[in-house]
Amino acid sequence: MAEIEEIYGDPLIHPQREDYWGHVNPLGIRSCYDEGKRCAESLFMSYYREHGIPVKIIRIFNTYGPKMNINDGRVVSNFIVQALRGDNITIYGDGGQSRSFQYIDDLIEGMVRMMDDTPDDFTGPVNIGNPNEFTIAELAREVISLTGSKSKIVHLPLPADDPQQRQPDISLARNMLGGWEPRIQLRDGLLKPSPTSRRCFRGEESGGEARPARAKTRPQPIRKKRQTTRGLPLSHSSLPVQPVNP
């Protein structure tokens, strides 16, 4: 079962360990999102206890990588698209709230190890995330630096119950998943996803200017009577592009 760090809500313990029960407002604007994740874990564990159904629970912290939808509202994708378009980069609050960003390859490796390398009676949960912590303001400045953008940072009111800190304690993952830990750090991961995004970051397209992000193009359906693929458009590689301050 793949859960996320919303289990912890706006945590009072830092970094967050799996035995921390979290700090969630059950009636707040984010409650259905946070409590939904907590309810899912509860249901899985009930089935495990009552029916012996094999269960593995991981808690995924902020993840980014290639082929993410540029309109999915995540902070990494928002910042990159805004920077490449030359739009203002929007930060909710003062930008001092922190997040921990892991590259998708590290997440997949952790998930596979959880499924393949742990005993059947080990249910978890296990944090899967990168413990290197960045403020939202630091992320925005990093994206501006990599894109060479002229974007300005603007601040908007902070939504209610927005978490102030997110950082996984991955001690359990190291112990149970064969020494697993993230290998790809933020700056390298932002440049890594695809040749297209690397060119955009380095300003190698459009005469040294950062180009706007392009949405992925869907191939047109093949007409049965012609049975040919001629003329189908090539799909574009989406940028690694995460609500601002998820």
Side-chain angles (χ1 to χ4, degrees), residues 69-97 99 101 134-156 186 190 201 210-211 213 239-246:
N69 188 327
I70 65 173
N71 297 313
D72 70 359
R74 297 179 184 273
V75 66
V76 173
S77 56
N78 280 3
F79 284 1
I80 290 176
V81 170
Q82 288 171 340
L84 293 177
R85 290 174 175 166
D87 296 338
N88 290 333
I89 291 183
T90 52
I91 292 180
Y92 292 108
D94 63 7
Q97 59 271 52
R99 299 293 184 269
F101 303 100
F134 293 86
T135 67
I136 297 301
E138 287 174 331
L139 174 65
R141 291 193 292 268
E142 187 73 71
V143 168
I144 290 173
S145 172
L146 289 172
T147 58
S149 175
K150 304 298 184 182
S151 295
K152 305 297 183 182
I153 295 175
V154 298
H155 296 268
L156 300 178
L186 181 61
L190 290 173
F201 278 131
R211 296 182 62 183
L239 291 172
V241 283
Q242 282 187 32
V244 172
N245 314 348

Side-chain angles (χ1 to χ4, degrees), residues 8-66:
Y8 302 117
D10 187 9
L12 301 178
I13 293 177
H14 194 73
Q16 292 81 58
R17 289 165 43 101
E18 291 86 351
D19 57 4
Y20 176 52
W21 292 357
H23 178 236
V24 174
N25 177 1
L27 302 177
I29 191 171
R30 296 171 59 93
S31 62
C32 106
Y33 186 47
D34 295 350
E35 297 289 16
K37 306 301 182 182
R38 296 157 68 89
C39 178
E41 282 196 10
S42 177
L43 288 171
F44 268 66
M45 288 306 299
S46 292
Y47 271 87
Y48 171 75
R49 296 186 184 101
E50 294 295 322
H51 305 289
I53 296 174
V55 167
K56 303 285 184 183
I57 300 174
I58 61 172
R59 293 174 177 170
I60 302 171
F61 282 67
N62 293 67
T63 303
Y64 65 98

